[in-house]
Amino acid sequence: MIQHAHHRSSNQNTINCRAWLINLIAILLTINTEISRADIPVALVERNIISYGGTSQDIEGEIVVDEGALHLSGNSWKAIPFAYNVTAHTRVSFDFSAPVEGELHGLGVDADLRLNYENSDILFVLHGTQSFFGLRDYENGEGHYDIPIGEYFQGYIRYVTLANDHDVPSPTSESIFSNIDFYEAPLNFNQAAIVSHGGSSQDVNGTITIGDDGASLRLNGNIWKAVLNDYLV
């Protein structure tokens, strides 16, 4: 009888230990994706900026980098070496101004220095008098931009491209770009598919709570879940 009582006590301790571990796991699995953002800045170094699009596009103009801002003038198209893998969640943020409006001011990405709009050629038009060429979803003039570039293109890039187009005999167009950053947008659990993981022996019972407008996910009980999220590491 004493041995049997000891056995029951041991079982009870095991159950209590499991319950404690499950509760601890539930606390640890409160996921907040806001901490996952890590901005990758594009270095604006004058000597690294090169011609883009060929002599038919990059015709004339000056490049000046001053206090972290890149100034383009004239009729010029430039590229900044920047290797990055654009995923479905990649965004690019930057500040833009145009002291003198030209035909086309824009920012884009490319895997080479040819302007042919094949594969990775992407150019977001921000401002200008010209009504054609490029992507126009964010043509908002001067200001701060935060563009979900991963919704338009996914793959490897080697350059960030800048357009300051002004096809006139004496071009005066000016563009200023600064604070160019690429980052991966935090996962929004409201928009993600959350499915069972590990089979019925692991995903037993419990609840899921999504908070902070989709930025956090809390698991309670004895459950295993998977969040479907395509990402190339």
Side-chain angles (χ1 to χ4, degrees):
M1 293 296 293
I2 294 174
Q3 290 181 348
H4 182 64
H6 176 75
H7 180 68
R8 284 189 299 173
S9 176
S10 177
N11 285 343
Q12 186 63 45
N13 289 337
T14 301
I15 293 171
N16 290 337
C17 182
R18 286 177 179 172
W20 180 82
L21 284 173
I22 290 169
N23 288 333
L24 176 61
I25 290 170
I27 293 171
L28 292 176
L29 287 179
T30 300
I31 305 168
N32 190 330
T33 61
E34 288 298 332
I35 63 174
S36 67
R37 173 168 172 171
D39 291 16
I40 309 298
V42 176
L44 301 179
V45 180
E46 192 169 323
R47 66 176 179 273
N48 293 339
I49 300 169
I50 55 182
S51 179
Y52 175 67
T55 56
S56 63
Q57 295 293 340
D58 187 29
I59 299 174
E60 61 177 291
E62 294 184 352
I63 304 170
V64 176
V65 176
D66 183 39
E67 296 183 352
L70 170 60
H71 301 244
L72 296 180
S73 64
N75 186 14
S76 55
W77 291 63
K78 301 298 181 183
I80 305 171
F82 182 75
Y84 195 88
N85 176 39
V86 177
T87 75
H89 308 291
T90 303
R91 301 182 70 96
V92 56
S93 65
F94 57 93
D95 295 305
F96 164 75
S97 62
V100 180
E101 184 179 23
E103 291 179 309
L104 187 148
H105 306 255
L107 180 145
V109 297
D110 205 340
D112 55 47
L113 296 174
R114 299 187 300 273
L115 182 61
N116 53 18
Y117 271 84
E118 294 180 0
N119 300 322
S120 61
D121 290 27
I122 296 290
L123 181 73
F124 294 98
V125 176
L126 312 172
H127 191 45
T129 59
Q130 185 172 292
S131 60
F132 60 93
F133 197 81
L135 297 169
R136 301 275 170 164
D137 295 349
Y138 295 90
E139 190 176 2
N140 299 321
E142 298 182 318
H144 179 74
Y145 285 80
D146 193 331
I147 299 175
I149 189 171
E151 295 181 7
Y152 296 83
F153 164 79
Q154 296 170 33
Y156 289 99
I157 62 169
R158 294 179 61 196
Y159 303 98
V160 171
T161 58
L162 304 172
N164 184 68
D165 193 76
H166 201 191
D167 295 318
V168 296
S170 299
T172 58
S173 176
E174 293 184 35
S175 298
I176 301 176
F177 297 90
S178 60
N179 303 314
I180 307 174
D181 292 321
F182 282 71
Y183 70 95
E184 298 302 303
L187 180 64
N188 188 327
F189 291 110
N190 281 325
Q191 299 173 357
I194 303 172
V195 298
S196 179
H197 178 65
S200 58
S201 63
Q202 296 293 344
D203 189 23
V204 182
N205 60 70
T207 60
I208 298 173
T209 303
I210 297 175
D212 303 319
D213 294 324
S216 66
L217 173 69
R218 184 180 181 86
L219 307 181
N220 292 294
N222 186 12
I223 56 177
W224 289 57
K225 299 296 181 184
V227 181
L228 301 185
N229 181 37
D230 292 332
Y231 192 84
L232 179 62
V233 177

